[in-house]
Amino acid sequence: MLGFLEALALRPETVGPDDVAPLRAQGLADDAIARAIHISAAFHTINRVADALGFAVPPPHEVVLDAIDLLKNGYDR
């Protein structure tokens, strides 16, 4: 799946229906493949918007502290 999604992101013009066959051969259902494509597309869109608007990425320790705070206090503040 990761190789498929990488090709879809970096070389979409090379990806076609034949590229889905190996995923199906590994036992992935079409709905699972579609979900992975949708999630990948959403992340790519978010990243492009963030890059275009110059969003700052906090350092990892701040992300951890924010996550702990959200787990403890929720989003209601």
Side-chain angles (χ1 to χ4, degrees), residues 2 6-7 9 11 18 20 23-24 29 36 41-44 49 52 64 67 72 74:
L2 292 177
E6 179 180 46
R11 300 173 303 285
D18 291 340
V20 177
L23 302 175
R24 291 177 177 142
F43 272 101
H44 286 290
V49 170
V64 170
K72 188 188 304 183

Side-chain angles (χ1 to χ4, degrees), residues 1 3 5 7 14 19 25-26 28 41 47-48 51 57 64 77:
M1 178 59 77
L5 292 174
T14 68
D19 297 296
Q26 289 297 315
L28 292 169
N47 285 337
R48 286 181 177 96
D51 288 347
V57 177
V64 170
R77 295 190 294 137

Side-chain angles (χ1 to χ4, degrees), residues 2-4 10 13 15-17 33 36-37 45-49 55 59-60 62 66 74:
L2 292 177
F4 171 80
L10 301 177
E13 69 282 357
V15 177
I33 296 167
I37 292 169
T45 301
I46 291 166
N47 285 337
R48 286 181 177 96
V49 170
F55 289 3
E62 286 185 25
D66 288 343

Side-chain angles (χ1 to χ4, degrees), residues 60-71:
H61 71 276
E62 286 185 25
V63 173
V64 170
L65 292 175
D66 288 343
I68 292 168
D69 184 53
L70 285 171
L71 286 170

